Amino acid sequence: MKDRAGHLLVGFLERAALEMGDQQPGGAVRLATGFGIRGYVSRMAGVGEPLDGARLLAGLIEGAMIDAAREMSREFMRSRIAHFFVKGIALAGRVYQSGDREMADIDVHVTPDARSAALDVLTRLGYELLPDREQGAPDTMRSGVGLCRVAAGGGWDHVAVDVRWGLDPVDRLLPRDDTPVPDSVWQSIDQSGSIPVPSDPQHAALIVHHMVHHDMLHVRGLLDLILLWERLESSAGGMMEALAEELGVTRALRLLASVLSHRFELDSPGVSDCPDDLRGRRALKMMEPADWCIWAAKAPGSEFVEVSWRRIARRVVLLDNLRSVATLLEDAIHPPASYLRWRWPRARSLAAARVKHLSRTIGKSASRRTASESIAAPTGRS
């Protein structure tokens, strides 16, 4: 049945909305709005109007971002800067219809040695770096930076860009700048469209990595993965698993493959079975779609970026290697000095900044359930 997975997603969202107390018709669309997939869900639910204002607005913004991405790509090519786009901008017009998916920014990757040249190109195109406090980490730890261009006099040309020369490792809570995109991705870039994008199997693995890095809070990423999954050939599993292993997300890929197969009734592209162990069972419980939507909707915005025990709890059941728990705890308890100085610029000393960090981290732990409770019952929230 065409769009079967999309209709199932609507059902899970409806169930989640009801459990969260939204008893009125259209709960799935309202919940999807917070996840940035309102247009798609309203279309699948058959409730969108022909002149749906929110969908038209999303389509206008999307069009401006597509134009900006094409302009950016042309200039990168002229400067001989290898690059590719991922996630929303790379999926627009391929798996999504206009207005289906919210796009917060343009995600583009360049090689580490092209970092300065890429920023020079973006500066010439009118983009400005976001303030240091909005970059997510000090310069020495960043794998990318955010920029923004605002059209003079307003208009739709208000475009944010996330340009990356690396990937944030999943065995850390804080960004690092030492994980480049694997060569296998660069060697398989699809140049057939108006902008370069990864091959579908490798794009799927990169989305899994992004979801793990954000501790499964990106429900929008789940929909990206569903729609890419529907395009994969039956033999794509090997390529996905090879890249997932390089990125440290093989377990997460297999867990998500199980969810897509058993909950969204999608064919398997040859991904191996998910691990049948305690961590695997807890992860699958956490990723039960309706429950997943509930706890993701209830998570505060700060949870995407700040150090917390809740993030560690989710990450533990997803990591390929349990020895990585040590590096997660290191970021929680003893983060780099450069991060502490950047995070607490007004602290009297490094020691004072460390005390502030620990007080904040421990305070979050004391005010919420323990990590084990968070995994055992992921639908709840204190």
Side-chain angles (χ1 to χ4, degrees), residues 266-301:
L266 295 173
D267 294 334
S268 171
V271 175
S272 301
D273 291 338
C274 67
D276 185 20
D277 54 18
L278 179 60
R279 285 200 298 143
R281 290 190 292 273
R282 287 187 171 181
L284 287 175
K285 182 176 181 181
M286 180 180 79
M287 293 157 63
E288 188 65 32
D291 292 344
W292 185 348
C293 291
I294 292 171
W295 59 257
K298 290 183 174 181

Side-chain angles (χ1 to χ4, degrees), residues 165-223:
W165 48 87
L167 299 168
D168 290 327
V170 295
D171 60 352
R172 293 285 190 178
L173 294 177
L174 299 173
R176 294 296 192 280
D177 65 349
D178 57 357
T179 306
V181 172
D183 290 341
S184 59
V185 177
W186 289 106
Q187 294 162 2
S188 303
I189 297 300
D190 181 356
Q191 301 277 4
S192 62
S194 60
I195 57 174
V197 300
S199 67
D200 285 345
Q202 292 185 323
H203 199 172
L206 288 169
I207 288 172
V208 171
H209 172 272
H210 181 74
M211 294 172 72
V212 174
H213 173 65
H214 286 289
D215 309 292
M216 296 299 172
L217 286 168
H218 275 285
V219 174
R220 188 165 56 215
L222 172 62
L223 181 55

Side-chain angles (χ1 to χ4, degrees), residues 26-172:
V29 174
R30 285 187 290 276
L31 188 54
T33 300
F35 296 139
I37 52 175
R38 178 193 183 279
Y40 177 85
V41 171
S42 64
R43 183 162 63 82
M44 288 296 104
V47 299
E49 298 295 330
L51 295 178
D52 183 332
R55 186 179 178 83
L56 288 172
L57 176 60
L60 286 169
I61 294 171
E62 176 185 315
M65 297 183 79
I66 290 172
D67 289 344
R70 290 171 177 165
E71 174 190 48
M72 192 183 307
S73 186
R74 287 193 299 269
E75 293 303 314
F76 281 164
M77 288 179 184
R78 286 178 183 143
S79 297
R80 300 184 182 276
I81 297 172
H83 65 284
F84 66 87
F85 298 84
V86 291
K87 297 184 290 181
I89 197 69
L91 299 174
R94 298 176 68 237
V95 304
Y96 286 110
Q97 294 184 19
S98 178
D100 273 358
R101 182 195 190 279
E102 177 184 303
M103 291 187 201
D105 54 20
I106 295 171
D107 295 284
V108 61
H109 282 270
V110 299
T111 56
D113 59 357
R115 169 184 177 177
S116 295
L119 293 177
D120 287 343
V121 167
L122 292 171
T123 299
R124 289 200 305 270
L125 291 175
Y127 293 90
E128 297 181 1
L129 284 170
L130 296 178
D132 185 67
R133 298 298 302 164
E134 296 180 27
Q135 295 292 356
D139 183 62
T140 55
M141 295 174 63
R142 295 173 193 159
S143 62
V145 290
L147 303 95
C148 188
R149 179 176 70 186
V150 180
W156 297 114
D157 196 13
H158 182 147
V159 179
V161 178
D162 186 13
V163 57
R164 301 207 152 263
W165 48 87
L167 299 168
D168 290 327
V170 295
D171 60 352
R172 293 285 190 178

Side-chain angles (χ1 to χ4, degrees), residues 6-27:
H7 294 305
L8 288 170
L9 177 61
V10 172
F12 292 129
L13 286 164
E14 287 283 9
R15 189 187 314 167
L18 286 171
E19 291 188 27
M20 292 174 68
D22 186 347
Q23 305 294 322
Q24 300 301 314

